Amino acid sequence: LAEAFFVTKLPRPYQEQFLESGCQAPVIFAYLLVAESKLPMDDDAERYSSIAMNIVNDLPDMVKPILQDSRSWPYREAIARYDQTNQAAQYAQQNAAVLLGGTRGIVSLEFVIVHCREPLDWIAKDLLPIAPPGSLLTFYAKCGEIPEFPEVVRSHFGWLQILPCKDPEGGPRGDECLGYLAHLVGRYSDLATFTVFMQADPMDHMHFPYLHQALKMVARGTYSVPFLSLNGARHVRTHTPCLDAVHQAIFGEPMREPVGPYCCAQFIVQDVRIRARSIEFYRNMLQLVDGTVDYDLCFPGKVTRSTHCYGMEFTWHLVFGEDYEPPLRQDDVRLPTPLRAKFGDEHVRRQWNDVVLNPSTPKKIVEKVDYDKVIR
């Protein structure tokens, strides 16, 4: 997808060089793929598909059969996939309330943000422009603050509530885990259809444009991903005694293999995926960070930040039913096309000079040999 956007964003003279040199196929497929990615969330998908079809129509008659029947460029499959995606998006929009709304028949969205003294100007600047009107906004205040928000923010959301969620007295910081788990336990029977779990400095780990793609799909009724990591960086595959101890405390069994998820605990989860585990399961997790468990699984002495929460950072995806090492987003065939982004900001990126599309591979330097002088 990143490569397709790169081609469609090339200056027109560069694109024309492709076409004039008989290399139309990459441009055609780039526009078709971008069009497909826009179907579930934007109104300009047809503009991109029309550009692709205009290029096809302008091909010489002798070239068209080569494109349509070639195994090198699966043109027919691309057209079929575009049509299928279009039909699926229309069906989802028409039936979202039935498919996702549960007994209430309403698809709802809630942002859960765990806050402790971080600046919150990004709520109005970055979140407000992309959050669907009527979404719910809940803060878990860990440091006793009651932040103030302008009326434009309060009127945009269906509710804006600030709930106290202090760390245990004299205990270690529970970080975002304390707020997340307080929400999962306290709202277990009354969850939004989709909950966006975020830290109060989300831009340190994620691109807001990637979150925007998912939110546009939610607003259109085309989003149905049970669990989606929002952050860009990945953990290396990890298996440590500390992580294994936290894993056993959560799941009641040792780790079967190393984990390698996206890092830093920001994600969207569907209510049915949360309720795939019992409320007792989440209560047990909450006790690991709310002071109920008065010892640390990873360190014999007193700690200031919960190593249990750090371990949870590696296991949230397991809690919500994902594999130990989930695929990269761009390789995850379960995701809809617009969310299979390599970087997370492809849809809005304007400057591509710094993007490495091809991995930098070692080059073998072959010494020049004059074979006329080789002794035989």
Side-chain angles (χ1 to χ4, degrees), residues 52-222:
M53 299 316 299
N54 287 338
I55 298 173
V56 173
N57 292 334
D58 289 341
L59 289 173
D61 291 339
M62 65 179 296
V63 176
K64 290 179 182 177
I66 298 175
L67 174 69
Q68 295 170 355
D69 300 326
S70 170
R71 292 186 178 181
S72 300
W73 298 97
Y75 175 76
R76 295 184 188 277
E77 290 88 339
I79 295 297
R81 177 162 169 153
Y82 178 86
D83 292 339
Q84 291 168 3
T85 303
N86 189 25
Q87 293 171 11
Q90 293 180 18
Y91 179 82
Q93 286 181 283
Q94 295 166 3
N95 297 278
V98 175
L99 297 173
L100 302 171
T103 56
R104 291 177 291 188
I106 299 173
V107 179
S108 54
L109 174 71
E110 182 169 8
F111 298 90
V112 169
I113 300 170
V114 182
H115 176 244
C116 179
R117 302 190 182 95
E118 297 92 344
L120 293 174
D121 55 323
W122 60 269
I123 297 291
K125 181 169 68 76
D126 298 307
L127 185 61
L128 180 66
I130 66 175
S135 305
L136 311 179
L137 180 58
T138 299
F139 288 89
Y140 286 85
K142 296 177 76 275
C143 299
E145 299 170 283
I146 303 179
E148 295 291 332
F149 296 98
E151 179 59 27
V152 66
V153 172
R154 291 187 171 276
S155 62
H156 182 86
F157 292 95
W159 77 38
L160 193 162
Q161 59 177 345
I162 302 168
L163 304 176
C165 187
K166 290 188 176 182
D167 288 316
E169 194 70 32
R173 283 172 43 187
D175 291 331
E176 72 278 350
C177 301
L178 185 60
Y180 289 4
L181 289 163
H183 186 84
L184 290 169
V185 171
R187 292 282 301 283
Y188 185 83
S189 61
D190 189 31
L191 292 162
T193 311
F194 296 104
T195 303
V196 185
F197 290 92
M198 302 172 69
Q199 300 172 25
D201 50 1
M203 65 292 294
D204 288 352
H205 304 295
M206 76 172 191
H207 291 297
F208 267 97
Y210 188 73
L211 173 62
H212 192 193
Q213 311 315 318
L215 297 183
K216 285 196 288 186
M217 294 178 66
V218 172
R220 283 178 172 251
T222 58

Side-chain angles (χ1 to χ4, degrees), residues 222-360:
T222 58
Y223 184 90
S224 59
V225 181
F227 175 82
L228 179 69
S229 293
L230 294 171
N231 293 336
R234 295 268 297 206
H235 285 298
V236 298
R237 299 181 75 241
T238 305
H239 190 172
T240 66
C242 175
L243 189 53
D244 190 63
V246 175
H247 186 281
Q248 290 197 55
I250 295 173
F251 300 102
E253 63 179 16
M255 294 174 64
R256 299 192 297 272
E257 58 184 279
V259 290
Y262 282 94
C263 89
C264 310
Q266 296 188 116
F267 39 78
I268 306 176
V269 196
Q270 190 177 354
D271 54 353
V272 293
R273 182 61 67 91
I274 293 173
R275 293 197 191 100
R277 296 192 184 275
S278 69
I279 191 172
E280 293 302 325
F281 179 90
Y282 298 111
R283 283 178 178 152
N284 174 63
M285 287 186 69
L286 179 58
Q287 290 175 353
L288 292 173
V289 293
D290 70 355
T292 301
V293 175
D294 58 359
Y295 57 89
D296 192 88
L297 294 170
C298 302
F299 190 76
K302 185 177 179 63
V303 296
T304 57
R305 296 186 68 177
S306 172
T307 59
H308 303 167
C309 185
Y310 179 68
M312 290 177 189
E313 183 177 308
F314 290 79
T315 55
W316 282 113
H317 67 298
L318 299 178
V319 168
F320 298 120
E322 298 293 299
D323 293 334
Y324 270 70
E325 186 176 13
L328 295 170
R329 280 194 288 259
Q330 62 265 32
D331 299 328
D332 193 342
V333 297
R334 301 170 301 170
L335 292 179
T337 304
L339 299 180
R340 293 181 64 178
K342 182 181 295 184
F343 305 110
D345 61 352
E346 286 88 334
H347 287 79
V348 298
R349 179 182 283 268
R350 294 180 179 274
Q351 177 58 259
W352 288 84
N353 291 343
D354 61 336
V355 175
V356 179
L357 297 173
N358 187 50
S360 179

Side-chain angles (χ1 to χ4, degrees), residues 16-33:
E16 289 176 349
Q17 286 182 19
F18 273 91
L19 305 180
E20 292 169 0
S21 63
C23 200
Q24 299 94 339
V27 183
I28 293 169
F29 278 79
Y31 275 97
L32 282 175
L33 184 54

